[in-house]
Amino acid sequence: MTEGVPRYTAREAIDLVTSGFTELPDPASPVGPVRPASPAIAASPASSVREFGPDGPLSWQGYDASRARAAARTGEEESVVCGTATVGGTATVLISFEFGFLGGSLGERTGDRLEAAYVYAREHRLPVVSLVATGGSRMQEGMRALVQLQRVARQSTLTREAGLPQIAVLRDPTTGGGWATLGAGADVVLALPGAQVGFAGSRVRPPDADPAAYTAEAQLAAGAVDAVMPPAELPGLLGLWLQLLSRPSAEPVPPPPALADTDQPATGWEAVGNARSPQRPRATAYLDAYLDRRAAISGDRCGGTDDGMLCGFGVLKDGKDGGRTVAYAAQTGTATRPAGYRTAARLIRLADRLRIPVLTLVDTPGAANDAEAERQGAGAAIADVFGAMAAARTPLTTLLIGEGGSGGALALAAPDNTWATPDSYFSVIAPELAAAILKRPPEEVRATADQLRIRPQDLVDLGVVRGIVEPSKSPS
């Protein structure tokens, strides 16, 4: 046990997030093979449950006795408790692991319960919340336990295909296959402070492994967890996430109004100066003015984060569209890192799957082009965002709020629904770099900016943007 980190029982974890819980009936083991719900996903070996003699499929001596002691100690019949509850006003299917029952390990009966919970969620169109605390697959059942991970992954995939959100809350500890399926495979991953989180449990890691790397905080820094919050804050944040992810909408959102009362620039170089001004409103100001009750996702799930890319969901403020959920991906004026693009692609695909409209705010001098960015796969990451935007079926809206530097900015621009503020510009390349490539002297940079036709009004004439947004009201 991690020192000073509480280990909640399954029921205590449930009580952290809801005051009402109705347990689902314990599923009866199917007699024959179970037909897969989707022809695209073949039945796994665990889809047909067999009857075994004493001590399970391996006849592991003492296994039945261990189960009986675990049941007597915890009051539970299995390592997972499944049911329905209302969390923050949203009805949900709730899955909670009991670590005191054989280390919260997954066995075949655990798989029965998890499968039944996911099926119930799809039948009743409910999101799934997993309160995870597990040591992995159950040794006493051998490979029959391990293949439950395929079974769980299949159910999670079918639920994802059904357009239902999945949220994981990582408790202490979350390791092994439970982390690699229910945990890391969720749409949004929250964690309690100090929780052990990692594929390798404490007893199977290399002897020289740094234990600090196997924590919720380390996983947050590595882009595998969206937020770490104390137990007292969990009900509010979980309730907010459930509300945000359960409100589909088929209509695009309007672009935000401009926050600065800036005249349209007379020259291309003036447009560059306006966009680069330290006084120009940035993404955070636009998000604050446009959205209420935001919740952020963090990380690319590949080991990286980028503070220069803000991604998440929020509620549109007052107006005829007020109250709608909006997904946002917003650049903050820095050179965007590969992790930022991958996080944005993750956000766009999640919003598309849940049918939530997307707003992107473009503001970058361009993609990061240092050696480390290349090693991290800058080109592939940018291509991933282009692909996510091109494939999205949910409506997309883009507002150019500052610098639009080449393909690193265009990747986040909605085809046919991009708008610009008066204090912005969009260019195939920065004017200084264009002049350098053309071997022009520095004094010709300004003329080059004009030739590139990068002003907002030029972009309208060229058909690159639909229009220029104005302030919602003139200052008095």
Side-chain angles (χ1 to χ4, degrees), residues 151-152 283 300 303:
R151 191 178 182 188
V152 171
D300 62 359

Side-chain angles (χ1 to χ4, degrees), residues 53-56 60-70 109:
D55 290 326
W60 185 288
Q61 187 175 1
Y63 178 41
D64 286 348
S66 295
R67 286 184 54 90
R69 287 193 298 270
R109 293 181 188 175

Side-chain angles (χ1 to χ4, degrees), residues 24-25 37 84 93 115-128 155 158-159 162 164:
L24 292 173
T84 58
V93 166
E115 182 174 67
Y118 273 106
V119 170
Y120 185 94
R122 293 195 298 275
E123 289 176 345
H124 295 82
R125 303 295 303 167
L126 298 177
V128 177
Q155 291 303 315
L158 292 174
T159 303
L164 298 171

Side-chain angles (χ1 to χ4, degrees), residues 26 36 41 45 71 85-86 132 198 200 230 242-243 245 283 332 390 463:
D26 193 18
I41 302 176
T86 298
V132 188
L242 287 167
Q243 291 175 17
L245 299 184
T332 64

Side-chain angles (χ1 to χ4, degrees), residues 170-257:
L170 312 182
R171 297 151 49 204
D172 185 54
T174 297
T175 61
W179 163 230
T181 51
L182 287 161
D187 298 319
V188 175
V189 182
L190 311 176
L192 297 181
Q196 267 190 88
V197 180
F199 187 64
S202 59
R203 297 184 183 181
V204 297
R205 299 169 191 158
D208 59 347
D210 179 6
Y214 300 84
T215 63
E217 289 77 7
Q219 297 289 354
L220 176 65
V225 166
D226 292 300
V228 176
M229 86 300 299
E233 297 178 13
L234 178 59
L237 182 58
L238 185 56
L240 174 58
W241 268 117
L242 287 167
Q243 291 175 17
L244 291 173
L245 299 184
S246 301
R247 295 177 175 176
S249 175
E251 297 299 321
V253 295

Side-chain angles (χ1 to χ4, degrees), residues 9 18 105 202 224 282 317 323 326 350 473:
T9 68
T18 184
S105 57
S202 59
R282 305 288 163 148
K317 284 190 175 180
V326 182
L350 174 57
K473 59 180 180 180

Side-chain angles (χ1 to χ4, degrees), residues 387-414:
M389 294 287 282
R393 294 161 295 177
T394 197
L396 309 171
T397 302
T398 296
L399 181 62
L400 174 67
I401 64 171
E403 292 194 82
S406 193
L410 185 66
L412 279 175

